[in-house]
Amino acid sequence: MDCVRAVMLCAEEYTDYNHYCYFISYQKNNVNDFLLDDPETPPAYQLELEKTYDNDDLFYAVEYCVKSGFVETLFSKDTYRIPISRITPDGHRFLENIRSDTNWEKVKSVAKKAGSFSADVIIEIAKNVAVEAAKHFLTNT
C-alpha cells in the first residue's frame, strides 16, 4: 500500500485538467524492443519512484489504483503504458485521509494489527484516523 500511496501522490502532482501522467511496464515495453520498435523511456517521476519500488510493484500499484476506482485512465493502444487521466472523487478522498505521513503510519499500524491491507479496509481506517486527528486538533486548540 505504500506504493499505491506513492502512485496516488504522484498522479496528483502530475495530472490536472489538461495533462495526464503515465507509467511504463518494462516487461511489456521489452516486447516493443524485440519487435524492433523503440522502447519508450519512462517519465522522470516514474524513475524517481523506482528508486524505492521496482517496476513490477509500481505497475501493479497503478493497475490497483485503476481497479479500486481511485484514478481514471485514457484508452491506450499500448499494452505497456497506463495513462492516468484524472483522480476520481474517491481517489481525492483517499488522498486527503492518507496525505499526512503521521496519519499514514497510523493507518498502516492499524491495518497490520487488523491483518488486512485491502483497499476497503485501508479506506475505512484512513477515514477514522483522519477524523480522530481532527477531533484531537479541536480539543487541543
Side-chain angles (χ1 to χ4, degrees):
M1 289 306 287
D2 284 322
C3 191
V4 168
R5 178 180 183 246
V7 165
M8 290 297 296
L9 291 168
C10 182
E12 180 181 49
E13 183 174 348
Y14 293 99
T15 303
D16 62 31
Y17 186 75
N18 293 311
H19 301 93
Y20 68 92
C21 67
Y22 61 94
F23 293 86
I24 302 284
S25 168
Y26 295 142
Q27 188 171 12
K28 294 177 182 177
N29 199 15
N30 287 340
V31 171
N32 284 346
D33 192 30
F34 178 73
L35 296 173
L36 302 178
D37 288 338
D38 290 333
E40 188 169 354
T41 302
Y45 49 82
Q46 178 174 338
L47 295 174
E48 186 63 30
L49 287 174
E50 287 175 352
K51 291 177 181 177
T52 306
Y53 308 102
D54 72 32
N55 183 255
D56 287 342
D57 290 339
L58 186 59
F59 205 73
Y60 178 83
V62 173
E63 289 183 336
Y64 188 90
C65 289
V66 172
K67 291 177 181 175
S68 295
F70 294 155
V71 297
E72 293 178 357
T73 62
L74 297 170
F75 172 76
S76 175
K77 65 179 181 159
D78 305 322
T79 59
Y80 62 89
R81 175 201 258 229
I82 296 181
I84 297 174
S85 59
R86 65 184 41 92
I87 299 173
T88 65
D90 285 341
H92 281 290
R93 282 188 286 276
F94 177 66
L95 271 172
E96 288 308 316
N97 291 332
I98 60 147
R99 179 178 317 284
S100 154
D101 290 339
T102 302
N103 284 4
W104 181 239
E105 290 305 318
K106 288 179 185 176
V107 168
K108 291 191 313 182
S109 175
V110 171
K112 184 176 181 179
K113 289 175 185 172
S116 178
F117 287 91
S118 73
D120 292 338
V121 170
I122 294 293
I123 289 167
E124 285 303 313
I125 294 169
K127 285 180 197 176
N128 289 323
V129 166
V131 167
E132 288 302 315
K135 285 180 184 177
H136 178 75
F137 176 77
L138 288 173
T139 59
N140 291 322
T141 56

